[in-house]
Amino acid sequence: MRSDRLGETLLPKKLALPIFASDALSSVAYAPDEILIMLGLAGGAFAAMHSWQITLGVIFVMVIVVASYRQNVHAYPSGGGDYEVATENLGPKAGLTVASALLVDYVLTVAVSISSGVQNARAALPFISGHEVVIAVGLIVLLMAMNLRGVRESGKAFAIPVYAFMFGIIGMGVWGFIKGLTGTLGQAPSAGLELVAEPGHDAVGLAAMFLLLRAFSSGCAALTGVEAISNGVPAFKKPKSANAAATLLLMGVISVTMLASIIALSRMTGVQMADSSAVGEVLLRDGVPVGDTYVQDTVIGQLAKTVFSDFPIGLYFVTAVTGIILVLAANTAFNGFPVLGSILAKDGFLPRQLQSRGDRLAFSNGIAILAAAAIFLVIAYNADVTQLIQLYIVGVFVSFSMSQTGMIRHWNRLLKEETDPKARSKMFRARIINAVGAAMSITVLLVVLVTKFQAGAKYAILAMAVLYVMMLAINRHYRHVSQELALRDDLREAILPSRVHALVLVSKLHKPAMRAIAYARATRPSVLEALTVEVDPEETAALGREWIARDVPVTLKIVASPYREITRPIIDYVKSLRTDNPRDVVIVYVPEYVVGHWWEQLLHNQSALRLRVRLHFIPGVMVASVPWQLRSSEGQSDDWDDRSVPGRAGNIAP
Amino acid sequence: MRSDRLGETLLPKKLALPIFASDALSSVAYAPDEILIMLGLAGGAFAAMHSWQITLGVIFVMVIVVASYRQNVHAYPSGGGDYEVATENLGPKAGLTVASALLVDYVLTVAVSISSGVQNARAALPFISGHEVVIAVGLIVLLMAMNLRGVRESGKAFAIPVYAFMFGIIGMGVWGFIKGLTGTLGQAPSAGLELVAEPGHDAVGLAAMFLLLRAFSSGCAALTGVEAISNGVPAFKKPKSANAAATLLLMGVISVTMLASIIALSRMTGVQMADSSAVGEVLLRDGVPVGDTYVQDTVIGQLAKTVFSDFPIGLYFVTAVTGIILVLAANTAFNGFPVLGSILAKDGFLPRQLQSRGDRLAFSNGIAILAAAAIFLVIAYNADVTQLIQLYIVGVFVSFSMSQTGMIRHWNRLLKEETDPKARSKMFRARIINAVGAAMSITVLLVVLVTKFQAGAKYAILAMAVLYVMMLAINRHYRHVSQELALRDDLREAILPSRVHALVLVSKLHKPAMRAIAYARATRPSVLEALTVEVDPEETAALGREWIARDVPVTLKIVASPYREITRPIIDYVKSLRTDNPRDVVIVYVPEYVVGHWWEQLLHNQSALRLRVRLHFIPGVMVASVPWQLRSSEGQSDDWDDRSVPGRAGNIAP
């Protein structure tokens, strides 16, 4: 994407919704499952009794978070991602905390979405059962390959499956309710089973309370991805903020509708969900455990089978679009992760070479790291969504909490300067909403930490801490270097060396050596010598004879190598030049071969490479490589010219 | 070792024997075991009946091989390794065949010696049982580390354990025979067991014949390492050849004595050896299989337990020195492998950077590759000597056969020129001995191939073939390049470019940039420009302002980067310079940071690196890096100065 063309691709709301909301909407594919599974730990009756309470709690949080982010969108029309909002209002360390949380969450988005997608597909494609991990890893590799190849889906390609997913889920809800009202809705496949409590999970007192909070924490997975629109405000058509806020509201409404209808349908059809690690024991058929051969479908899968019991196309449609939207949600992480990496690199928290957005290589690194980490998680947790969810929500709510707290500061600052009473009252209102959002986010974060720490959240926190410390260390390094390199006013570095002493390294008299000598002569140095290391006296003698026979117009200096090394005698000689004439600058011309294949590279230039590294440690020495293009290198630079565009050029004269 | 000091460390025979013979002598630690195990496949009675036949066969081969190599030693006082002998007399392809065989054999020497060492140590240290693979891998890693650190044992440090091993084995033999004569020699721990034939191994007809040949092939493992002395003739005191030949003879006598006494003792004490994969089933105690808990000691271990039943110090001494000499034998491979690599690199069959013997890094690669390959084998074959031996002998006898055949040609050539009848008769005699050696080696090679191909030798042959093809391809590449680079008489490459166009790459105005500008100015090019890429217009504007404020005496050229890339606009600009003035040479000065830690390197210079690679593809462009030494790099070049020795220097004037 050319910088100056970014403005041409502004999005209308109907395209922005699917593009930014796939992550948020897709989470209704697993959030209801997690609510029912957590409650089900205390038995089927407990789950049936409390699932509505928990769902209403999640919807309440969703309403507040959406309302809060509408304020962000209005306040930062240039695109206030959580990282920027936290950095600007709470300082770089807060921003870095958010960034660590987001990086970990991108990995989890991929792992959770893909795992859930595979589980959902299983309802329609039973042969998947037992191969979930392999298929999930395969999908991640596929996504990685597509993103490495630079395949970008257009907005429209994105829109169709997202709208199909909404249509499928809401359509299933409507159809199910109609059937329910007409009394033709059947019972779910698992409704005939009895779900007994797992040992140690009593449905009374504090234990019951704790279980309700755990279910609530898991249900809050429905909120992941809500912040995506606030990052993308600049991509909206004008009025940007208003359109983005409207889209955000629409997304919230759709999300809540889908979540509520899935929970309602699951109550009407009697869906039973058990923790995957204990499915075989706690689900009883006629009082007998169903055993390890029982395959538990996802809630959406069970509902689709029940609602569309007489219309199998409906079942295939719903499971297909659910699987697809989950893969799309994972794909958003593949886009977001390297972009965040680029922003962090620009701010000096990650290696600087990740900064350049136009550079395919930098993005490739990010894509490969994301895929590798997600594959690790999928394998470590056996593609089990319930276990992965335990790690997931922490990062999301760290990010929400920091961002909303930052917004309070933002309004405080603006209120200090604003005098117009109308504007002030709007700001007051926004500040209250963000304050409620912040309080709510922090409360949920604490609940999540308490209920999930031991179950897995600790690993997510550990990963965030490691990233935080690493990024801080990188930043400290860059700052130290920058201070070390800053110019003082005396400009000692601009003093010209008095003379230039040029050395051409020669091992044989062949074309590359002759070219290096010719080029070095063309630069007209104060002193010019050719330098060779005597490893084998016979070879050196032959070189000397040819030197004289060819009448090479440069002195050939021969240094001995008592230990048959090559690098060391050259270094010693250069050091002696520097010691004798400290005000000279030495330039060492090294003939190098340019080859076409990586394995040819292994066969050449290795001593030149080591020599350059060593020479660089001596102050006042430049190393000039004089390339010789071997035939195999021909055409190698042109595989690169497909995107050539002439650039403007300008001068600043001295 | 300094080249000019190599002459100072010539070895007397008493030191040369342990240094060159540890590999050959150590093989008596496993050769008797393999003879008994192979014969034992057809039952204990078969083994008892035929073990002497096989041993005499092996001794016969040993006598002929030693006699043959004594001719090599006389013919090549400068050190005729099998590779050199084959190359000189049979051509480079024969030499390459030998080299492939030797490289594979070095790996197997390490794997077999270490595995056998661990098995031998088990007799004295029973806790090793069950942890053989881990301990073997640990020992290989230890040897690798010692060799990487450059720890070299002196001749004396080598001599003590080798003489101790000879003393231990021959002492055990003498003590055992005395006990046998006086009737006080007990029976081995396994003598009370019955060894039954494995299914499918009949002791009659062709099958029995095949088994005898297999046992003979395995027994020929005793011959590995015999060729070592012929490589090392130059290290002997004068008269070199005579001393080397005497040492070789001595080694043969000791080897044969040890082998014969071990086999004799094992017959006297009734040692039973079963194939490790079937120990539990084929060994019966009172008619019942001993089962998997039975740990089978090596022959030396069992003999030491029997002979020294009333003198446990003897047991510990023999197993300790056996273990140590096997580790020393593995260590000789760690010395020999990189040396052979260096010779092959010099002849253009391996990457040239392996050539320099004085270069620690080149040797490090060889040491690490050898260790990795040996570890792979130890793990793949579960540190089982019997299985590893199946791969081992092929390479040794390929090398013997080629070398001895080469020697016949050698004498043929000399005989054509020699006229002195006395010298001629000596040559005739030598030629007959070498011809017998060649015929014998080829016969044994065929027997080994037939009996072991399916059991594992095929993998060794495959590895040799892969190495052969790879080395041939490398050689072809070097020859092509050398032809491409050879100077013609017109010396077009010596034509001076008409002008020098210098570019200094600048991203910020800091000390490295100022130094690069100063150095570039010092070289007084025809045209000098500073070049920056505009990724962020604000940053570029700031650079421009500072440029003017600081009054930098060079034009700053700004190129646009519509895709926010850095490398590409620079390449395009340099290409345009070349197109406009094809007779100019362009020199691009790149400021680079020199850092002290590898991880700092990841944070810097990455774009410079990519840029250099790209610029090298454009003919007529040099890249000069102007290093800036960051504080963390201080002292980094001096960790290297510990061996500093002033070198002589000489000139060849134009």
Side-chain angles (χ1 to χ4, degrees):
Chain A
M1 189 76 70
R2 283 185 63 152
S3 320
D4 52 2
R5 287 208 190 129
L6 277 176
E8 295 169 15
T9 51
L10 293 180
L11 298 167
K13 281 185 294 236
K14 64 173 188 275
L15 273 182
L17 178 69
I19 286 177
F20 291 112
S22 70
D23 186 8
L25 295 179
S26 73
S27 51
V28 301
Y30 44 84
D33 301 55
E34 298 310 316
I35 294 174
L36 294 180
I37 286 171
M38 282 300 138
L39 293 174
L41 289 178
F46 188 80
M49 199 190 307
H50 297 287
S51 58
W52 264 116
Q53 291 173 11
I54 302 301
T55 306
L56 289 176
V58 172
I59 290 173
F60 179 64
V61 176
M62 173 81 89
V63 169
I64 289 178
V65 168
V66 166
S68 306
Y69 270 97
R70 280 166 57 88
Q71 311 311 313
N72 291 37
V73 163
H74 282 295
Y76 287 91
S78 62
D82 292 342
Y83 168 69
E84 287 89 346
V85 172
T87 305
E88 191 177 320
N89 296 299
L90 304 173
K93 294 211 172 170
L96 205 54
T97 309
V98 171
S100 309
L102 288 175
L103 289 174
V104 171
D105 256 19
Y106 278 125
V107 175
L108 282 159
T109 298
V110 176
V112 168
S113 300
I114 292 289
S115 298
S116 174
V118 173
Q119 278 184 12
N120 271 289
R122 201 172 52 189
L125 309 169
F127 62 83
I128 290 175
S129 183
H131 308 287
E132 288 87 351
V133 174
V134 174
I135 295 173
V137 170
L139 280 172
I140 295 173
V141 170
L142 188 72
L143 275 180
M144 177 182 77
M146 280 171 53
N147 279 284
L148 285 178
R149 298 280 306 177
V151 178
R152 300 240 174 272
E153 60 298 304
S154 68
K156 277 174 196 165
F158 227 113
I160 294 167
V162 176
Y163 281 114
F165 175 69
M166 294 181 204
F167 172 77
I169 297 297
I170 294 175
M172 180 171 78
V174 171
W175 193 317
F177 293 138
I178 292 172
K179 276 189 153 183
L181 290 174
T182 58
T184 55
L185 184 63
Q187 286 289 289
S190 60
L193 307 178
E194 185 192 352
L195 176 59
V196 297
E198 285 191 30
H201 290 286
D202 302 315
V204 287
L206 272 181
M209 192 64 211
F210 186 76
L211 213 54
L212 290 175
L213 289 177
R214 263 189 93 176
F216 168 73
S217 297
S218 289
C220 285
L223 277 88
T224 59
V226 168
E227 78 289 357
I229 289 179
S230 67
N231 285 313
V233 187
F236 278 82
K237 279 204 171 159
K238 287 182 182 174
K240 289 176 189 289
S241 290
N243 278 333
T247 308
L248 188 53
L249 183 60
L250 187 62
M251 186 200 77
V253 170
I254 294 170
S255 222
V256 166
T257 308
M258 294 202 294
L259 180 63
S261 57
I262 288 171
I263 289 289
L265 269 184
S266 71
R267 291 280 40 83
M268 291 161 67
T269 59
V271 167
Q272 305 274 21
M273 292 294 288
D275 181 22
S276 57
S277 64
V279 167
E281 291 102 61
V282 295
L283 280 176
L284 312 182
R285 175 170 283 128
D286 306 327
V288 181
V290 293
D292 286 343
T293 55
Y294 178 81
V295 176
Q296 175 170 269
D297 283 331
T298 57
V299 171
I300 289 182
Q302 295 199 34
L303 293 180
K305 280 184 180 171
T306 314
V307 173
F308 299 118
S309 57
D310 45 3
F311 181 54
I313 294 173
L315 163 66
Y316 289 110
F317 181 79
V318 168
T319 50
V321 293
T322 307
I324 291 170
I325 201 176
L326 283 162
V327 173
L328 286 184
N331 194 51
T332 59
F334 275 98
N335 292 325
F337 188 81
V339 169
L340 179 58
S342 157
I343 294 170
L344 289 168
K346 200 176 172 214
D347 291 354
F349 291 113
L350 282 179
R352 212 171 273 155
Q353 65 264 28
L354 297 175
Q355 181 182 344
S356 163
R357 292 204 192 185
D359 195 321
R360 207 192 282 173
L361 195 64
F363 269 48
S364 302
N365 289 335
I367 289 166
I369 290 170
L370 175 61
I375 288 173
F376 171 79
L377 282 179
V378 163
I379 292 175
Y381 286 101
N382 213 11
D384 184 347
V385 178
T386 307
Q387 287 187 55
L388 286 167
I389 286 279
Q390 310 302 318
L391 284 71
Y392 196 13
I393 322 297
V394 188
V396 178
F397 278 89
V398 165
S399 178
F400 285 176
S401 306
M402 288 279 186
S403 173
Q404 293 308 317
T405 311
M407 287 304 291
I408 304 176
R409 282 251 189 123
H410 172 83
W411 297 124
N412 285 348
R413 209 178 49 234
L414 288 196
L415 277 167
K416 269 188 205 152
E417 291 160 11
E418 185 63 62
T419 50
D420 174 27
K422 209 175 144 196
R424 282 183 68 87
S425 84
K426 266 182 89 170
M427 286 180 188
F428 268 118
R429 203 178 60 95
R431 186 170 65 173
I432 291 169
I433 294 175
N434 283 130
V436 173
M440 169 64 76
S441 301
I442 293 170
T443 309
V444 175
L445 177 61
L446 290 175
V447 170
V448 168
L449 282 178
V450 168
T451 55
K452 298 193 160 183
F453 187 82
Q454 204 51 40
K458 56 185 171 186
Y459 299 117
I461 294 167
L462 181 69
M464 289 173 205
V466 168
L467 283 173
Y468 181 89
V469 170
M470 187 193 78
M471 294 198 284
L472 213 58
I474 289 174
N475 187 250
R476 191 175 306 128
H477 171 82
Y478 278 132
R479 271 188 292 116
H480 286 327
V481 168
S482 163
Q483 282 162 16
E484 196 177 331
L485 300 185
L487 288 179
R488 300 212 198 76
D489 284 333
D490 55 356
L491 276 186
R492 243 183 314 158
E493 297 315 318
I495 295 172
L496 286 193
S498 54
R499 300 188 320 154
V500 177
H501 193 123
L503 290 176
V504 184
L505 297 188
V506 175
S507 61
K508 271 188 207 144
L509 256 190
H510 49 22
K511 291 177 181 173
M514 292 308 276
R515 175 183 282 180
I517 291 169
Y519 283 9
R521 286 179 62 207
T523 65
R524 282 177 223 92
S526 322
V527 185
L528 173 59
E529 292 173 320
L531 187 68
T532 195
V533 177
E534 179 176 281
V535 176
D536 178 340
E538 275 177 41
E539 279 177 21
T540 309
L543 175 65
R545 282 192 299 273
E546 202 181 352
W547 201 267
I548 290 160
R550 293 221 176 251
D551 204 13
V552 185
V554 173
T555 305
L556 175 65
K557 188 120 203 161
I558 300 161
V559 290
S561 174
Y563 292 100
R564 284 160 295 189
E565 289 163 308
I566 293 171
T567 311
R568 183 172 192 75
I570 297 174
I571 299 285
D572 289 342
Y573 182 68
V574 171
K575 277 187 180 169
S576 73
L577 290 181
R578 289 286 306 157
T579 314
D580 296 347
N581 303 289
R583 294 217 37 220
D584 284 11
V585 64
V586 177
I587 180 159
V588 181
Y589 290 90
V590 185
E592 284 192 20
Y593 303 117
V594 181
V595 293
H597 311 104
W598 65 266
W599 56 266
E600 289 179 320
Q601 188 62 37
L602 292 179
L603 302 178
H604 297 287
N605 299 331
Q606 299 295 323
S607 356
L609 191 68
R610 244 173 301 154
L611 184 65
R612 180 172 29 235
V613 170
R614 285 294 168 192
L615 283 172
H616 276 354
F617 284 104
I618 315 172
V621 178
M622 288 186 278
V623 182
S625 42
V626 187
W628 176 274
Q629 290 80 18
L630 286 170
R631 257 179 248 129
S632 70
S633 75
E634 277 167 22
Q636 284 287 314
S637 77
D638 292 327
D639 61 355
W640 207 58
D641 273 347
D642 43 303
R643 296 190 301 166
S644 187
V645 166
R648 292 167 293 125
N651 284 351
I652 289 178
Chain B
M1 192 75 69
R2 282 184 65 151
S3 319
D4 51 3
R5 286 207 192 131
L6 278 176
E8 296 169 13
T9 51
L10 294 181
L11 298 168
K13 281 185 292 238
K14 64 173 187 275
L15 274 182
L17 177 70
I19 287 178
F20 291 113
S22 69
D23 185 9
L25 296 180
S26 72
S27 50
V28 302
Y30 43 85
D33 302 54
E34 298 310 316
I35 294 174
L36 293 180
I37 286 170
M38 282 300 137
L39 293 174
L41 290 177
F46 190 80
M49 198 190 309
H50 295 288
S51 57
W52 263 115
Q53 290 174 12
I54 302 301
T55 305
L56 288 176
V58 171
I59 289 174
F60 179 65
V61 176
M62 172 82 88
V63 169
I64 290 179
V65 168
V66 166
S68 307
Y69 270 97
R70 280 167 56 88
Q71 311 312 314
N72 292 37
V73 162
H74 282 296
Y76 288 89
S78 61
D82 292 342
Y83 168 70
E84 287 90 345
V85 172
T87 305
E88 190 176 320
N89 296 299
L90 304 173
K93 295 211 171 169
L96 205 54
T97 309
V98 171
S100 310
L102 288 176
L103 289 174
V104 171
D105 257 19
Y106 277 126
V107 175
L108 281 160
T109 297
V110 175
V112 168
S113 301
I114 292 289
S115 299
S116 174
V118 173
Q119 279 184 13
N120 271 289
R122 201 173 51 190
L125 309 168
F127 63 83
I128 290 176
S129 185
H131 308 287
E132 288 86 351
V133 173
V134 174
I135 294 172
V137 169
L139 280 172
I140 296 173
V141 170
L142 188 73
L143 276 180
M144 178 182 77
M146 280 171 53
N147 279 283
L148 286 178
R149 297 282 305 176
V151 179
R152 300 239 174 272
E153 60 298 305
S154 67
K156 278 175 196 165
F158 226 114
I160 295 167
V162 176
Y163 281 114
F165 176 68
M166 294 182 206
F167 173 77
I169 298 297
I170 294 176
M172 181 171 77
V174 172
W175 193 320
F177 293 138
I178 292 172
K179 276 189 154 184
L181 289 174
T182 57
T184 54
L185 184 63
Q187 286 290 288
S190 60
L193 307 178
E194 185 192 353
L195 177 59
V196 298
E198 285 192 31
H201 290 284
D202 302 314
V204 288
L206 272 180
M209 192 64 210
F210 186 76
L211 211 55
L212 290 175
L213 288 177
R214 263 189 92 177
F216 169 73
S217 298
S218 288
C220 284
L223 277 88
T224 59
V226 168
E227 78 289 357
I229 288 179
S230 68
N231 286 311
V233 187
F236 279 81
K237 278 203 172 160
K238 286 181 184 176
K240 289 175 189 287
S241 290
N243 279 333
T247 308
L248 188 51
L249 183 60
L250 188 61
M251 186 200 78
V253 170
I254 295 170
S255 223
V256 165
T257 309
M258 294 202 293
L259 180 64
S261 57
I262 288 171
I263 290 289
L265 270 185
S266 71
R267 290 279 40 81
M268 289 161 68
T269 57
V271 168
Q272 304 275 20
M273 292 295 288
D275 182 23
S276 58
S277 64
V279 166
E281 290 103 62
V282 295
L283 280 176
L284 312 182
R285 175 171 282 128
D286 306 327
V288 181
V290 293
D292 287 342
T293 55
Y294 178 80
V295 176
Q296 175 171 271
D297 284 331
T298 58
V299 172
I300 288 182
Q302 295 199 34
L303 293 181
K305 279 184 180 170
T306 314
V307 172
F308 299 119
S309 56
D310 45 4
F311 180 54
I313 293 173
L315 164 66
Y316 288 110
F317 180 78
V318 168
T319 49
V321 294
T322 307
I324 291 170
I325 200 176
L326 284 161
V327 173
L328 286 184
N331 194 50
T332 58
F334 275 99
N335 293 326
F337 189 82
V339 169
L340 179 59
S342 156
I343 294 170
L344 289 168
K346 200 175 172 217
D347 291 355
F349 291 113
L350 283 179
R352 213 170 274 154
Q353 65 266 25
L354 297 176
Q355 180 182 343
S356 165
R357 292 203 193 185
D359 195 320
R360 208 192 282 171
L361 195 64
F363 268 47
S364 303
N365 290 335
I367 288 166
I369 291 170
L370 175 62
I375 287 173
F376 170 79
L377 282 179
V378 163
I379 293 174
Y381 286 101
N382 212 11
D384 184 347
V385 178
T386 306
Q387 285 187 55
L388 287 166
I389 286 279
Q390 310 303 317
L391 284 70
Y392 195 14
I393 323 296
V394 188
V396 178
F397 278 91
V398 165
S399 179
F400 285 176
S401 305
M402 289 280 187
S403 172
Q404 293 308 318
T405 311
M407 286 304 291
I408 303 176
R409 282 249 189 126
H410 171 82
W411 298 123
N412 285 347
R413 210 178 48 235
L414 288 196
L415 277 168
K416 270 188 204 152
E417 291 159 11
E418 186 60 62
T419 51
D420 175 27
K422 208 176 146 195
R424 283 182 67 86
S425 84
K426 267 181 90 171
M427 287 179 187
F428 269 118
R429 205 178 57 96
R431 185 171 66 173
I432 291 170
I433 295 174
N434 283 130
V436 173
M440 170 64 76
S441 301
I442 293 170
T443 310
V444 175
L445 177 60
L446 291 175
V447 170
V448 169
L449 283 178
V450 168
T451 55
K452 297 193 162 182
F453 186 81
Q454 204 50 39
K458 57 185 173 188
Y459 299 117
I461 294 166
L462 182 69
M464 289 174 205
V466 168
L467 283 173
Y468 182 89
V469 170
M470 188 193 79
M471 294 197 285
L472 214 57
I474 289 174
N475 187 250
R476 192 174 305 129
H477 172 81
Y478 277 133
R479 271 187 293 117
H480 286 328
V481 167
S482 162
Q483 282 162 16
E484 196 178 331
L485 300 185
L487 287 178
R488 300 212 197 75
D489 284 332
D490 55 355
L491 276 188
R492 243 184 313 159
E493 296 317 318
I495 294 171
L496 286 192
S498 55
R499 300 189 319 155
V500 177
H501 193 122
L503 289 176
V504 183
L505 298 189
V506 174
S507 61
K508 271 187 208 147
L509 255 191
H510 49 23
K511 290 177 181 172
M514 292 307 276
R515 174 182 284 181
I517 292 168
Y519 282 10
R521 286 178 62 208
T523 66
R524 283 179 221 91
S526 321
V527 185
L528 173 59
E529 292 172 322
L531 186 70
T532 195
V533 178
E534 178 176 281
V535 176
D536 178 340
E538 276 176 41
E539 278 177 22
T540 309
L543 176 65
R545 283 192 299 275
E546 201 180 352
W547 201 267
I548 290 161
R550 293 224 175 245
D551 204 13
V552 184
V554 173
T555 306
L556 175 65
K557 189 120 201 161
I558 300 160
V559 290
S561 174
Y563 293 101
R564 285 160 292 189
E565 289 163 309
I566 293 171
T567 310
R568 183 171 193 76
I570 296 173
I571 299 286
D572 289 341
Y573 182 68
V574 171
K575 277 187 180 168
S576 74
L577 289 181
R578 289 286 306 157
T579 315
D580 296 347
N581 302 288
R583 294 219 35 222
D584 284 12
V585 64
V586 177
I587 181 160
V588 181
Y589 291 90
V590 185
E592 284 191 21
Y593 303 117
V594 181
V595 294
H597 309 105
W598 65 266
W599 56 267
E600 290 179 319
Q601 188 62 36
L602 292 179
L603 302 177
H604 298 286
N605 299 331
Q606 299 296 322
S607 354
L609 191 68
R610 245 172 299 155
L611 184 65
R612 180 171 30 234
V613 170
R614 285 292 168 196
L615 283 172
H616 276 354
F617 284 103
I618 315 173
V621 177
M622 288 186 278
V623 182
S625 42
V626 187
W628 176 273
Q629 289 81 17
L630 285 170
R631 256 181 248 129
S632 70
S633 75
E634 277 166 23
Q636 284 287 312
S637 76
D638 292 331
D639 62 353
W640 207 58
D641 273 347
D642 43 302
R643 296 190 302 166
S644 188
V645 165
R648 292 165 296 126
N651 282 351
I652 290 179

